[in-house]
Amino acid sequence: MSNVTPFPKDGAGQVGFDRLELQRIMDLYGRMVSAGHWRDYAMDMGREAAIFSAFRRAAERPEYRIEKRPALRNRQGMWTLVGEGGHILKRGQELQNILAPVERKLLRIVEG
């Protein structure tokens, strides 16, 4: 007699980026790499958050973390931009607004 364990349904899902979100993030990453500012990235897809981390060098802390936390959608906004020291730089409902400070920094890198 075999014992079948049902697949858990109680919030055991994984949070991830949809295709358009990931495309927008990777576009910014590619522009920062071509400007010589970033060299590596990491993605972590967990139960509560999907996190994209961008590094200047692979051996240090990420310069920026872009976090998506759907549980905060109706509160502070599900998107968060976290700086290198762990402090929150921006929160909001729209990904493009969260990426704006990083894109402004890219403009300064290209001009300088």
Side-chain angles (χ1 to χ4, degrees):
M1 183 187 247
S2 67
N3 200 0
V4 177
T5 305
F7 193 77
K9 295 181 184 178
D10 57 338
Q14 177 177 317
V15 177
F17 300 110
D18 69 31
R19 186 177 189 159
L20 293 174
E21 294 164 351
L22 190 57
Q23 181 179 2
R24 178 131 181 133
I25 292 169
M26 292 306 290
D27 176 57
L28 175 62
Y29 174 76
R31 288 184 286 143
M32 292 296 275
V33 167
S34 65
H37 194 64
W38 288 348
R39 293 210 168 105
D40 200 7
Y41 73 92
M43 285 193 282
D44 180 25
M45 310 293 178
R47 284 183 138 166
E48 291 149 15
I51 302 170
F52 180 90
S53 303
F55 298 86
R56 281 188 224 130
R57 289 174 203 75
E60 58 184 36
R61 290 186 298 187
E63 181 177 10
Y64 291 107
R65 283 192 337 252
I66 301 162
E67 298 182 0
K68 178 182 178 182
R69 295 183 183 272
L72 298 177
R73 179 181 298 126
N74 296 326
R75 294 184 194 134
Q76 307 155 356
M78 71 175 168
W79 293 101
T80 307
L81 180 65
V82 181
E84 189 170 5
H87 52 282
I88 295 172
L89 302 175
K90 192 158 183 139
R91 283 190 195 268
Q93 299 289 350
E94 300 288 328
L95 176 60
Q96 64 186 10
N97 296 337
I98 299 304
L99 298 179
V102 182
E103 290 177 342
R104 277 191 297 259
K105 185 174 185 177
L106 178 64
L107 291 175
R108 278 186 258 139
I109 291 170
V110 172
E111 289 175 1

